[in-house]
Amino acid sequence: MPHALSHRDAPDDPHETPPAGAHPVAAAADGTRRHSAFEDVQALVTGTLFVALGVAMFKHAGLLTGGTAGIAFLIHYASGWSFGLVFFLVNLPFYGLALRQMGLAFTLKSFAAVTLLAVIIEVLPRVLAFARLDPVFAAVMGGFLIGVGLLVLFRHCASLGGLNVLVLWLQATRGWRAGALQLAIDVVILLAAFVVLPFKQALLSLLGAVALNLVVAVNHRPGRYLGV
């Protein structure tokens, strides 16, 4: 999945204490306004619900996406194991890197979002069923929903992708370009779809990835919005 906010996207002093008597959601040093705890909580719930609905559409249509979600999909389709459980386990190795690279707040929010998504995606079939879902519509609409959900999480300094943290760490320690490395990893995962999935579903997975990344690329650009 697309990467979340890095420290370069954050204000110069995101922890600045607001003046006495100021509103809890105070203006930061660069004029942006900090999110309150309530806003962060509702964003985690809202963002993961959007992503969960998109993932449910992908699962129903037999599609997959990139990032750790794509790895979880590959394992789920190949083994029949629960997607939610696999997604939760696949992300575990990356939290140590997240703590070092992105900080405690980002790590805790991301852990909460991943855990919440893993639970929701397993509970969702009890309250939602698709009587008819066209695979092309599932690819496009599912990609849009996941993209919007990720945007909500990004703007509250959270993420669902452990691989994003890994590429940021490799950029910081090895000088590798995070964007190019992330793209290469996603391409490998999506190419693996042609081994695990029928040809049509593999092609539609590419379409879904394009829809997802289009939403993020158009709406998540440096300088337009600062998630604090």
Side-chain angles (χ1 to χ4, degrees):
M1 288 184 177
H3 64 80
L5 296 172
S6 69
H7 288 308
R8 292 188 301 274
D9 298 314
D12 293 335
D13 186 7
H15 302 293
E16 182 180 21
T17 302
H23 190 276
V25 186
D30 62 355
T32 60
R33 293 173 65 84
R34 296 167 59 97
H35 294 300
S36 68
F38 172 78
E39 289 171 337
D40 281 340
V41 170
Q42 69 84 25
L44 290 179
V45 173
T46 303
T48 51
L49 280 172
F50 270 95
V51 174
L53 184 55
V55 168
M57 295 177 76
F58 274 24
K59 282 184 62 181
H60 185 83
L63 312 180
L64 57 75
T65 185
T68 48
I71 295 174
F73 265 125
L74 287 173
I75 297 173
H76 167 69
Y77 290 139
S79 66
W81 296 348
S82 160
F83 173 85
L85 176 61
V86 173
F87 179 69
F88 178 81
L89 294 176
V90 165
N91 275 283
L92 287 179
F94 298 101
Y95 292 119
L97 279 177
L99 187 61
R100 291 176 54 189
Q101 186 71 17
M102 307 298 288
L104 179 61
F106 173 87
T107 304
L108 291 177
K109 289 178 185 178
S110 297
F111 178 80
V114 168
T115 303
L116 190 59
L117 178 61
V119 172
I120 292 175
I121 203 63
E122 296 305 315
V123 173
L124 203 57
R126 302 179 184 180
V127 297
L128 176 68
F130 297 106
R132 182 177 184 274
L133 181 62
D134 182 80
V136 176
F137 179 81
V140 175
M141 194 63 197
F144 285 166
L145 286 168
I146 295 173
V148 171
L150 288 173
L151 281 175
V152 174
L153 295 174
F154 290 174
R155 292 181 176 182
H156 288 259
C157 292
S159 175
L160 286 171
L163 286 175
N164 307 140
V165 178
L166 175 62
V167 299
L168 289 173
W169 178 75
L170 289 173
Q171 177 177 262
T173 58
R174 303 290 181 87
W176 299 352
R177 292 179 56 191
L181 184 57
Q182 179 72 52
L183 177 61
I185 293 173
D186 284 347
V187 167
V188 170
I189 293 171
L190 289 168
L191 286 177
F194 287 90
V195 177
V196 177
L197 302 179
F199 185 75
K200 179 181 178 181
Q201 272 72 22
L203 282 180
L204 288 177
S205 295
L206 293 176
L207 176 62
V210 170
L212 189 164
N213 284 281
L214 180 64
V215 171
V216 176
V218 171
N219 295 282
H220 185 61
R221 297 183 184 179
R224 287 193 173 184
Y225 190 102
L226 295 175
V228 294

